[in-house]
Amino acid sequence: MSLEAKNLIGYQAVAGKGAGIQAVDPATDERLAPVYHEVSDADFDRALDLAQTAFLQYRELSDAARAQFLDSIAAEIEADSEAIIQRAMQETALPHARLQGECARTCNQLRLFAAVVRQGAYRDIRRDEAMPQRQPPRPDIRYRKIGLGPVAVFGASNFPLAFSVAGGDTASALAAGCPVVVKAHNAHPGTSEYVGRAVQRAAQRCGMPEGVFALLYGEGNRIGEKLVGHPHIKAVGFTGSRAGGLALLKLAQARPEPIPVYAEMSSINPVYLMPDALATQAEALGRALVAAMTMGAGQFCTSPGVVFAAAGAGFDAFTAAARAALAVQTAQTMLTPAIARAFEQGIQNLAAHAQLLAAGEASGGIHSCRARLFVVEGDVFAGNEALRQEVFGSAAVIVCCRDFAQMQMLTEQLEGQLTAAVHATADDDVGQLKSLLSQLERKAGRIVFNGFGTGVEVCGAMVHGGPFPATSDSRSTSVGATAIDRFLRPVCYQDVPADILPEAF
Amino acid sequence: MSLEAKNLIGYQAVAGKGAGIQAVDPATDERLAPVYHEVSDADFDRALDLAQTAFLQYRELSDAARAQFLDSIAAEIEADSEAIIQRAMQETALPHARLQGECARTCNQLRLFAAVVRQGAYRDIRRDEAMPQRQPPRPDIRYRKIGLGPVAVFGASNFPLAFSVAGGDTASALAAGCPVVVKAHNAHPGTSEYVGRAVQRAAQRCGMPEGVFALLYGEGNRIGEKLVGHPHIKAVGFTGSRAGGLALLKLAQARPEPIPVYAEMSSINPVYLMPDALATQAEALGRALVAAMTMGAGQFCTSPGVVFAAAGAGFDAFTAAARAALAVQTAQTMLTPAIARAFEQGIQNLAAHAQLLAAGEASGGIHSCRARLFVVEGDVFAGNEALRQEVFGSAAVIVCCRDFAQMQMLTEQLEGQLTAAVHATADDDVGQLKSLLSQLERKAGRIVFNGFGTGVEVCGAMVHGGPFPATSDSRSTSVGATAIDRFLRPVCYQDVPADILPEAF
C-alpha cells in the first residue's frame, strides 16, 4: 500500500489544497515523499459536520458494536504493521524493535478499551428507587454517563503510534462514544496516514456512521486552532510540549462554550535515593539511572530529570558508576531537528547552574542526543528555577541533599509531575518513606518504588497524569482504563417510563 | 447566641478591618445589625496558610473521622436551627417552612456525604497484581483517588443554607479530604455566621486540624478574587449568576496553575408538552406549570423558563388554565433588591419579543416578584435569542410549536440546561419520546418525566449539572453522592511495599 498524502474525511481520502507538509528523516535531513497539503476550509467544515452527525448515531450504538470497532482497528493496524513501522522508522529515527513494541502496545490499548466498553462499568449506572409513600414522595432516579461529543486529538512526536492517530486519546474517546478528529502530527505524516487508513477501514467494515473518525493535515497551528475553536468539538486530547498544551488550553477556554483540554505536557520525574539504598546499591543505582535516562534518547515524558540523593555513604560510588555508565552511551538521533536543538539549549541552561558530571559519547551524526548528567548541591538547586525545568532528552541533575528534611523541602518546590520514583531498602526508615509517599501523592500521578517511571503499563489501575503542569487536568489519566472518564458526563433520568429509558438500564 | 460579626479563621473569630457589609431585609429595606467588616490581608493569608497546613493532616485522617466530622456539623446546625432560620428569614424574606425544609435538607446532605465517606467507594480503589513471569514483568499497580487540596466555596443567595456555608460544595469537599474556605455571601452574612460557627464548633469537638474550615467576609469582589487566585486553593465551588461564574472561571484559568471551577450558573429548564398529554391534561398542566414557576418566586436554578407545546388540541385550554392560575398568585418578596430589579429588566426583555399571556397579582410590597407568562410562536422564538436567556424569578415563555420537528429544531438551539421536563401519556408517540430523550441527554443534566425539575433530591443518582452554561464543567454534579468526585484526583502506586502503602489498600 502506498501513501496518497490525503486527508481522511468520512470514508473518503481528500487531497489538501493549502501549504505543503513534508516529513524529514532526522538521521539524514532527507525530505520524505509524499508532500501532504493542508485541508481546505470547506473540507475542514465537512469533516466537523460529519463528526457531529456521526456522534448522534455513534453514541447510540450498543457497547458491543463500539467494542467490535475498537478491536477491528487493532486488527487493521496489525495487518499493516510492517509498513507502519518502516515508515515510522524513517520519520522518527526510532529503532525497529521499539516501534514494534509500541505498535503492539497501541493494539493492546485499543483492545483494553474494547474490553472496558464490553464490561460496561464505565457508565457508572446508579439508581435510587421511587419511594411513593415518603413525604414528599421520592421519584425514581437513574444515573449513567454518556459521551461528551466529538473530540479533537493532537498526537505526540515521541510516540508516533501509542500517543498519536490511534493512540490512547483516540481509543478512549471512541470507547466513550465520541467521534474523533485527529490533527496529524507534522513530524510523522506518513505514519499518521497508514494508521488513519486502518481506522477508516475498520469504521467502514464495522458499519460505523461516516464521520466517526477524521484525519486532517495542516501546516503550522492554523488547523489545530480552528479545530479547538470549532463549536462541534467538545473536548481536546493533547500530548506534547508545555507551550503547545497551554496554547490549546487558552483557545479552549476563550470559546463561547469552554471545553475540557486534557494536555499532557511537562514533567521532570524526580527520583529519590534513600540512605540505605544508596549505601548498599550505589553502583547498581548509578547504572540503572543511566539506563532509564538514555532509553529512547530520553524522549519520554516519564524520563528521570532530577535525582535527589542523600549526601553520605554511597553518594560518590553512585556518581562514579553513573559517570562510567554514561561515558559509553552512544548518541542517538532525536525525533526532529527542532527537538535536538531544544535539547542542546536545555543543556546550556542546566550547565549555567550545575556542574557537568558526565557526558555520553559524542556522535558524528546529525540531530543526535549526547546524554548529560549534572550534579549540584541542594542549596543551589533550591535557588535556581532553571534546574527544575524539563529538558526533553537524556539529561538529568543529581541533587546532593544535606539530609531528608532538605530532600522534602526541595520536593515541595517542584511543580506537578507525572511520576516520582523512590529507591529504598527494607532498612530505610519507614517513617521517612511514609512521609515522602504522602508528599509525593500531592505532587505526582504515579509513585514507583525501586524502579523508574519510564515504562507505562496499559492496565486498569494505571495513572498517567498528575498535577499541573504534568497535565492540564489533574483529575484525569491519559493511559489506563479510566482514561475513558475524560470523555464522559453524567445524566440522570427522573421517572422516565421503562419503554422510553435507554437500553443501558 | 448573638452574632459577633467576625471572620472565622481556624478556631478563632477575628474582627475584620475593611469595608463594611450589612444585610438588608428585602421586605422592609431595613438594614440589619451587625455590620461585618472585610477580613484584613494578614488574616486572609493566615486563613489560607492554615487551610494548607490543615490539608496535610486532614487528608490523612481515617474515613471514619471525616464522616464523624460531617455528622457533627449536621448536629451542630440542628442544635441552632431556629436561630439560623429566624435570621435567614430576615435576610432573604424566604418563609419559615421553606427554610426549615432547607435546613433539614442541608443536614441530610452532610449525613449523605458522611455515609459516602464511610462506604469508601469514592476512592475507586483498583489493583493490577504483579505478573513477575511476564516479559517484561508487570509490576504491582494500585490506584485510588485523593483530595485535590483546599477548596474555595462561594454560596448562592437563593439557598442560604443548602448552597451556602455548609451546603453541597462544602460538604462534598470536606468529604473528599479538602479543607474549605468559604466567602460569605453578602446577602446573608448573619445566616453565614451562625452556620459557620456550627462548622467551627464541630471541627473543634471532633479534633479536626485547625484550618479545616474558614469563613471570610469581603465587600465587592476583592476577597473572592484573592481567594480564587491564591496558590493554596486547588478548586472552586460556586452557585450563582452566569456573569459571576464566568468571572471566577476566568480568574482560575489565568493563574500560573489553572484550577477547576465548578460553577452552577444559568438554565431555563425547558418543559415539553407532548400532544396527547396536552389534549387530555390541559387544565392540570396549566395549573402545574404555574405552581412550579411560582415556587419560591421562581428563584430556583431549576425553575421552568420555557414551555414547548404542540399546537392543536388542548393548547388553548392549557393557556387558559395557566392564565387563570397565575392571576391569583400573590406576589412574593424577592431575595434582594438587586434581584428584583434584574427580574423586572428581564421581563421587559421578554416583553419586547413575546406576548404577555398572564400576570400574577400586583403587590403593594417592595422588591416583590409579580409572576409573568408569555406566549410566542415557534418561528418567533427561533429568531430571538433574548427569549432563550434566563430571567431569574417567576417568568416563563410558552412556545407554540407547529409540530414535533419544530420542537426539536428549537431544542437544538438551546444552550446547556440543568433540567428538562417532558409531559407525556402512554398514548404519546414512543418513537418521538425516545428521539426527544436522546436529544435532551445532550442538552441537560437531568431529564424529568411528568413533573418539573424544581425539586432536587439529595441522593446517590442525582445529577445537578449539565452542559455549559448550566455549569462550567458538564462532567460534574453539585448535588448527590458523586459531587465528591469534583474534588478528587487519581494517584497510582507501583510496587510500593505493603508497610509503606496508605492504609486504604
Side-chain angles (χ1 to χ4, degrees), chain A residues 104-126:
Chain A
R105 175 199 177 89
T106 304
C107 295
N108 287 346
Q109 187 160 254
L110 286 156
R111 294 192 173 106
L112 170 77
F113 284 110
V116 165
V117 169
R118 282 198 184 92
Q119 200 271 331
Y122 74 98
R123 289 212 182 269
D124 195 16
I125 288 179
R126 295 164 186 254

PDB file of all heavy atoms in Angstrom, chain A residues 104-126:
ATOM      1  N   ALA A 104       2.495  -2.930  19.156  1.00  0.00           N
ATOM      2  CA  ALA A 104       1.765  -3.935  19.936  1.00  0.00           C
ATOM      3  C   ALA A 104       1.019  -3.268  21.096  1.00  0.00           C
ATOM      4  O   ALA A 104      -0.133  -3.594  21.406  1.00  0.00           O
ATOM      5  CB  ALA A 104       2.738  -4.987  20.460  1.00  0.00           C
ATOM      6  N   ARG A 105       1.684  -2.317  21.722  1.00  0.00           N
ATOM      7  CA  ARG A 105       1.079  -1.604  22.829  1.00  0.00           C
ATOM      8  C   ARG A 105      -0.173  -0.853  22.375  1.00  0.00           C
ATOM      9  O   ARG A 105      -1.195  -0.813  23.071  1.00  0.00           O
ATOM     10  CB  ARG A 105       2.114  -0.615  23.375  1.00  0.00           C
ATOM     11  CG  ARG A 105       1.610   0.295  24.449  1.00  0.00           C
ATOM     12  CD  ARG A 105       2.527   1.518  24.575  1.00  0.00           C
ATOM     13  NE  ARG A 105       1.978   2.426  25.564  1.00  0.00           N
ATOM     14  CZ  ARG A 105       2.255   2.360  26.843  1.00  0.00           C
ATOM     15  NH1 ARG A 105       3.070   1.440  27.287  1.00  0.00           N
ATOM     16  NH2 ARG A 105       1.691   3.205  27.695  1.00  0.00           N
ATOM     17  N   THR A 106      -0.066  -0.231  21.213  1.00  0.00           N
ATOM     18  CA  THR A 106      -1.203   0.529  20.672  1.00  0.00           C
ATOM     19  C   THR A 106      -2.398  -0.391  20.437  1.00  0.00           C
ATOM     20  O   THR A 106      -3.542  -0.039  20.769  1.00  0.00           O
ATOM     21  CB  THR A 106      -0.772   1.209  19.360  1.00  0.00           C
ATOM     22  OG1 THR A 106       0.383   2.008  19.628  1.00  0.00           O
ATOM     23  CG2 THR A 106      -1.879   2.073  18.797  1.00  0.00           C
ATOM     24  N   CYS A 107      -2.129  -1.564  19.894  1.00  0.00           N
ATOM     25  CA  CYS A 107      -3.219  -2.514  19.638  1.00  0.00           C
ATOM     26  C   CYS A 107      -3.780  -3.068  20.952  1.00  0.00           C
ATOM     27  O   CYS A 107      -5.002  -3.211  21.106  1.00  0.00           O
ATOM     28  CB  CYS A 107      -2.730  -3.629  18.716  1.00  0.00           C
ATOM     29  SG  CYS A 107      -2.295  -2.982  17.072  1.00  0.00           S
ATOM     30  N   ASN A 108      -2.893  -3.341  21.894  1.00  0.00           N
ATOM     31  CA  ASN A 108      -3.362  -3.792  23.219  1.00  0.00           C
ATOM     32  C   ASN A 108      -4.272  -2.750  23.845  1.00  0.00           C
ATOM     33  O   ASN A 108      -5.267  -3.066  24.502  1.00  0.00           O
ATOM     34  CB  ASN A 108      -2.175  -4.007  24.169  1.00  0.00           C
ATOM     35  CG  ASN A 108      -1.394  -5.250  23.833  1.00  0.00           C
ATOM     36  OD1 ASN A 108      -1.868  -6.088  23.063  1.00  0.00           O
ATOM     37  ND2 ASN A 108      -0.202  -5.363  24.379  1.00  0.00           N
ATOM     38  N   GLN A 109      -3.892  -1.511  23.657  1.00  0.00           N
ATOM     39  CA  GLN A 109      -4.652  -0.409  24.257  1.00  0.00           C
ATOM     40  C   GLN A 109      -6.056  -0.322  23.640  1.00  0.00           C
ATOM     41  O   GLN A 109      -7.043  -0.134  24.344  1.00  0.00           O
ATOM     42  CB  GLN A 109      -3.875   0.880  24.005  1.00  0.00           C
ATOM     43  CG  GLN A 109      -4.425   2.090  24.688  1.00  0.00           C
ATOM     44  CD  GLN A 109      -3.365   3.178  24.797  1.00  0.00           C
ATOM     45  OE1 GLN A 109      -2.829   3.435  25.858  1.00  0.00           O
ATOM     46  NE2 GLN A 109      -3.053   3.811  23.695  1.00  0.00           N
ATOM     47  N   LEU A 110      -6.125  -0.472  22.323  1.00  0.00           N
ATOM     48  CA  LEU A 110      -7.434  -0.476  21.668  1.00  0.00           C
ATOM     49  C   LEU A 110      -8.280  -1.633  22.211  1.00  0.00           C
ATOM     50  O   LEU A 110      -9.476  -1.468  22.489  1.00  0.00           O
ATOM     51  CB  LEU A 110      -7.244  -0.611  20.149  1.00  0.00           C
ATOM     52  CG  LEU A 110      -6.726   0.668  19.471  1.00  0.00           C
ATOM     53  CD1 LEU A 110      -6.014   0.343  18.162  1.00  0.00           C
ATOM     54  CD2 LEU A 110      -7.885   1.643  19.229  1.00  0.00           C
ATOM     55  N   ARG A 111      -7.649  -2.787  22.398  1.00  0.00           N
ATOM     56  CA  ARG A 111      -8.398  -3.949  22.896  1.00  0.00           C
ATOM     57  C   ARG A 111      -8.770  -3.788  24.372  1.00  0.00           C
ATOM     58  O   ARG A 111      -9.814  -4.278  24.803  1.00  0.00           O
ATOM     59  CB  ARG A 111      -7.587  -5.229  22.666  1.00  0.00           C
ATOM     60  CG  ARG A 111      -7.431  -5.531  21.191  1.00  0.00           C
ATOM     61  CD  ARG A 111      -6.892  -6.938  20.924  1.00  0.00           C
ATOM     62  NE  ARG A 111      -6.926  -7.205  19.487  1.00  0.00           N
ATOM     63  CZ  ARG A 111      -5.854  -7.225  18.693  1.00  0.00           C
ATOM     64  NH1 ARG A 111      -4.647  -7.021  19.181  1.00  0.00           N
ATOM     65  NH2 ARG A 111      -5.992  -7.458  17.401  1.00  0.00           N
ATOM     66  N   LEU A 112      -7.901  -3.098  25.130  1.00  0.00           N
ATOM     67  CA  LEU A 112      -8.277  -2.820  26.525  1.00  0.00           C
ATOM     68  C   LEU A 112      -9.561  -2.001  26.566  1.00  0.00           C
ATOM     69  O   LEU A 112     -10.478  -2.296  27.337  1.00  0.00           O
ATOM     70  CB  LEU A 112      -7.157  -2.036  27.236  1.00  0.00           C
ATOM     71  CG  LEU A 112      -7.536  -1.480  28.617  1.00  0.00           C
ATOM     72  CD1 LEU A 112      -7.523  -2.579  29.677  1.00  0.00           C
ATOM     73  CD2 LEU A 112      -6.606  -0.348  29.050  1.00  0.00           C
ATOM     74  N   PHE A 113      -9.644  -0.973  25.723  1.00  0.00           N
ATOM     75  CA  PHE A 113     -10.856  -0.137  25.752  1.00  0.00           C
ATOM     76  C   PHE A 113     -12.064  -0.894  25.198  1.00  0.00           C
ATOM     77  O   PHE A 113     -13.185  -0.657  25.636  1.00  0.00           O
ATOM     78  CB  PHE A 113     -10.613   1.195  25.045  1.00  0.00           C
ATOM     79  CG  PHE A 113      -9.815   2.135  25.887  1.00  0.00           C
ATOM     80  CD1 PHE A 113      -8.505   2.459  25.563  1.00  0.00           C
ATOM     81  CD2 PHE A 113     -10.359   2.659  27.050  1.00  0.00           C
ATOM     82  CE1 PHE A 113      -7.756   3.299  26.374  1.00  0.00           C
ATOM     83  CE2 PHE A 113      -9.611   3.499  27.867  1.00  0.00           C
ATOM     84  CZ  PHE A 113      -8.316   3.817  27.531  1.00  0.00           C
ATOM     85  N   ALA A 114     -11.820  -1.813  24.265  1.00  0.00           N
ATOM     86  CA  ALA A 114     -12.926  -2.669  23.817  1.00  0.00           C
ATOM     87  C   ALA A 114     -13.457  -3.470  25.015  1.00  0.00           C
ATOM     88  O   ALA A 114     -14.679  -3.574  25.215  1.00  0.00           O
ATOM     89  CB  ALA A 114     -12.458  -3.606  22.708  1.00  0.00           C
ATOM     90  N   ALA A 115     -12.540  -3.984  25.814  1.00  0.00           N
ATOM     91  CA  ALA A 115     -12.960  -4.756  26.990  1.00  0.00           C
ATOM     92  C   ALA A 115     -13.668  -3.871  28.011  1.00  0.00           C
ATOM     93  O   ALA A 115     -14.673  -4.274  28.616  1.00  0.00           O
ATOM     94  CB  ALA A 115     -11.734  -5.438  27.620  1.00  0.00           C
ATOM     95  N   VAL A 116     -13.162  -2.662  28.182  1.00  0.00           N
ATOM     96  CA  VAL A 116     -13.795  -1.720  29.119  1.00  0.00           C
ATOM     97  C   VAL A 116     -15.234  -1.430  28.682  1.00  0.00           C
ATOM     98  O   VAL A 116     -16.165  -1.409  29.487  1.00  0.00           O
ATOM     99  CB  VAL A 116     -12.980  -0.404  29.185  1.00  0.00           C
ATOM    100  CG1 VAL A 116     -13.780   0.720  29.830  1.00  0.00           C
ATOM    101  CG2 VAL A 116     -11.670  -0.625  29.937  1.00  0.00           C
ATOM    102  N   VAL A 117     -15.416  -1.240  27.381  1.00  0.00           N
ATOM    103  CA  VAL A 117     -16.753  -0.935  26.864  1.00  0.00           C
ATOM    104  C   VAL A 117     -17.675  -2.140  27.028  1.00  0.00           C
ATOM    105  O   VAL A 117     -18.820  -2.007  27.464  1.00  0.00           O
ATOM    106  CB  VAL A 117     -16.657  -0.501  25.381  1.00  0.00           C
ATOM    107  CG1 VAL A 117     -18.041  -0.432  24.754  1.00  0.00           C
ATOM    108  CG2 VAL A 117     -15.962   0.854  25.279  1.00  0.00           C
ATOM    109  N   ARG A 118     -17.165  -3.327  26.705  1.00  0.00           N
ATOM    110  CA  ARG A 118     -17.995  -4.536  26.859  1.00  0.00           C
ATOM    111  C   ARG A 118     -18.389  -4.746  28.316  1.00  0.00           C
ATOM    112  O   ARG A 118     -19.512  -5.142  28.613  1.00  0.00           O
ATOM    113  CB  ARG A 118     -17.229  -5.776  26.385  1.00  0.00           C
ATOM    114  CG  ARG A 118     -17.187  -5.907  24.888  1.00  0.00           C
ATOM    115  CD  ARG A 118     -16.819  -7.332  24.431  1.00  0.00           C
ATOM    116  NE  ARG A 118     -16.715  -7.332  22.976  1.00  0.00           N
ATOM    117  CZ  ARG A 118     -15.573  -7.121  22.310  1.00  0.00           C
ATOM    118  NH1 ARG A 118     -14.439  -6.930  22.963  1.00  0.00           N
ATOM    119  NH2 ARG A 118     -15.569  -7.102  20.996  1.00  0.00           N
ATOM    120  N   GLN A 119     -17.459  -4.469  29.199  1.00  0.00           N
ATOM    121  CA  GLN A 119     -17.713  -4.701  30.621  1.00  0.00           C
ATOM    122  C   GLN A 119     -18.796  -3.739  31.134  1.00  0.00           C
ATOM    123  O   GLN A 119     -19.637  -4.113  31.940  1.00  0.00           O
ATOM    124  CB  GLN A 119     -16.392  -4.551  31.379  1.00  0.00           C
ATOM    125  CG  GLN A 119     -16.366  -5.207  32.735  1.00  0.00           C
ATOM    126  CD  GLN A 119     -16.854  -4.262  33.792  1.00  0.00           C
ATOM    127  OE1 GLN A 119     -16.714  -3.055  33.671  1.00  0.00           O
ATOM    128  NE2 GLN A 119     -17.453  -4.815  34.847  1.00  0.00           N
ATOM    129  N   GLY A 120     -18.784  -2.496  30.642  1.00  0.00           N
ATOM    130  CA  GLY A 120     -19.905  -1.589  30.884  1.00  0.00           C
ATOM    131  C   GLY A 120     -19.838  -0.727  32.130  1.00  0.00           C
ATOM    132  O   GLY A 120     -20.631   0.209  32.267  1.00  0.00           O
ATOM    133  N   ALA A 121     -18.902  -1.013  33.046  1.00  0.00           N
ATOM    134  CA  ALA A 121     -18.861  -0.257  34.297  1.00  0.00           C
ATOM    135  C   ALA A 121     -18.557   1.223  34.071  1.00  0.00           C
ATOM    136  O   ALA A 121     -18.851   2.058  34.928  1.00  0.00           O
ATOM    137  CB  ALA A 121     -17.830  -0.862  35.250  1.00  0.00           C
ATOM    138  N   TYR A 122     -17.997   1.550  32.911  1.00  0.00           N
ATOM    139  CA  TYR A 122     -17.654   2.956  32.642  1.00  0.00           C
ATOM    140  C   TYR A 122     -18.881   3.845  32.689  1.00  0.00           C
ATOM    141  O   TYR A 122     -18.783   5.052  32.912  1.00  0.00           O
ATOM    142  CB  TYR A 122     -16.956   3.086  31.273  1.00  0.00           C
ATOM    143  CG  TYR A 122     -17.878   2.938  30.090  1.00  0.00           C
ATOM    144  CD1 TYR A 122     -18.383   4.052  29.424  1.00  0.00           C
ATOM    145  CD2 TYR A 122     -18.283   1.685  29.647  1.00  0.00           C
ATOM    146  CE1 TYR A 122     -19.245   3.923  28.344  1.00  0.00           C
ATOM    147  CE2 TYR A 122     -19.153   1.538  28.574  1.00  0.00           C
ATOM    148  CZ  TYR A 122     -19.631   2.652  27.931  1.00  0.00           C
ATOM    149  OH  TYR A 122     -20.500   2.527  26.878  1.00  0.00           O
ATOM    150  N   ARG A 123     -20.067   3.282  32.466  1.00  0.00           N
ATOM    151  CA  ARG A 123     -21.287   4.103  32.503  1.00  0.00           C
ATOM    152  C   ARG A 123     -21.695   4.463  33.934  1.00  0.00           C
ATOM    153  O   ARG A 123     -22.538   5.321  34.132  1.00  0.00           O
ATOM    154  CB  ARG A 123     -22.440   3.372  31.820  1.00  0.00           C
ATOM    155  CG  ARG A 123     -22.297   3.283  30.320  1.00  0.00           C
ATOM    156  CD  ARG A 123     -23.654   3.315  29.641  1.00  0.00           C
ATOM    157  NE  ARG A 123     -23.528   3.192  28.203  1.00  0.00           N
ATOM    158  CZ  ARG A 123     -23.408   4.237  27.374  1.00  0.00           C
ATOM    159  NH1 ARG A 123     -23.406   5.466  27.840  1.00  0.00           N
ATOM    160  NH2 ARG A 123     -23.292   4.043  26.081  1.00  0.00           N
ATOM    161  N   ASP A 124     -21.110   3.778  34.917  1.00  0.00           N
ATOM    162  CA  ASP A 124     -21.363   4.088  36.330  1.00  0.00           C
ATOM    163  C   ASP A 124     -22.868   4.159  36.630  1.00  0.00           C
ATOM    164  O   ASP A 124     -23.337   5.112  37.261  1.00  0.00           O
ATOM    165  CB  ASP A 124     -20.677   5.412  36.704  1.00  0.00           C
ATOM    166  CG  ASP A 124     -20.581   5.607  38.215  1.00  0.00           C
ATOM    167  OD1 ASP A 124     -20.761   4.628  38.960  1.00  0.00           O
ATOM    168  OD2 ASP A 124     -20.353   6.768  38.642  1.00  0.00           O
ATOM    169  N   ILE A 125     -23.594   3.152  36.180  1.00  0.00           N
ATOM    170  CA  ILE A 125     -25.060   3.187  36.339  1.00  0.00           C
ATOM    171  C   ILE A 125     -25.447   3.108  37.814  1.00  0.00           C
ATOM    172  O   ILE A 125     -24.936   2.276  38.560  1.00  0.00           O
ATOM    173  CB  ILE A 125     -25.700   2.047  35.510  1.00  0.00           C
ATOM    174  CG1 ILE A 125     -25.579   2.419  34.026  1.00  0.00           C
ATOM    175  CG2 ILE A 125     -27.154   1.809  35.911  1.00  0.00           C
ATOM    176  CD1 ILE A 125     -26.120   1.406  33.074  1.00  0.00           C
ATOM    177  N   ARG A 126     -26.297   4.029  38.206  1.00  0.00           N
ATOM    178  CA  ARG A 126     -26.785   4.098  39.596  1.00  0.00           C
ATOM    179  C   ARG A 126     -28.294   4.247  39.573  1.00  0.00           C
ATOM    180  O   ARG A 126     -28.850   4.801  38.634  1.00  0.00           O
ATOM    181  CB  ARG A 126     -26.204   5.331  40.305  1.00  0.00           C
ATOM    182  CG  ARG A 126     -24.706   5.270  40.470  1.00  0.00           C
ATOM    183  CD  ARG A 126     -24.121   6.640  40.795  1.00  0.00           C
ATOM    184  NE  ARG A 126     -22.663   6.569  40.811  1.00  0.00           N
ATOM    185  CZ  ARG A 126     -21.935   6.585  41.935  1.00  0.00           C
ATOM    186  NH1 ARG A 126     -22.525   6.719  43.105  1.00  0.00           N
ATOM    187  NH2 ARG A 126     -20.633   6.484  41.886  1.00  0.00           N
TER     188      ARG A 126
END
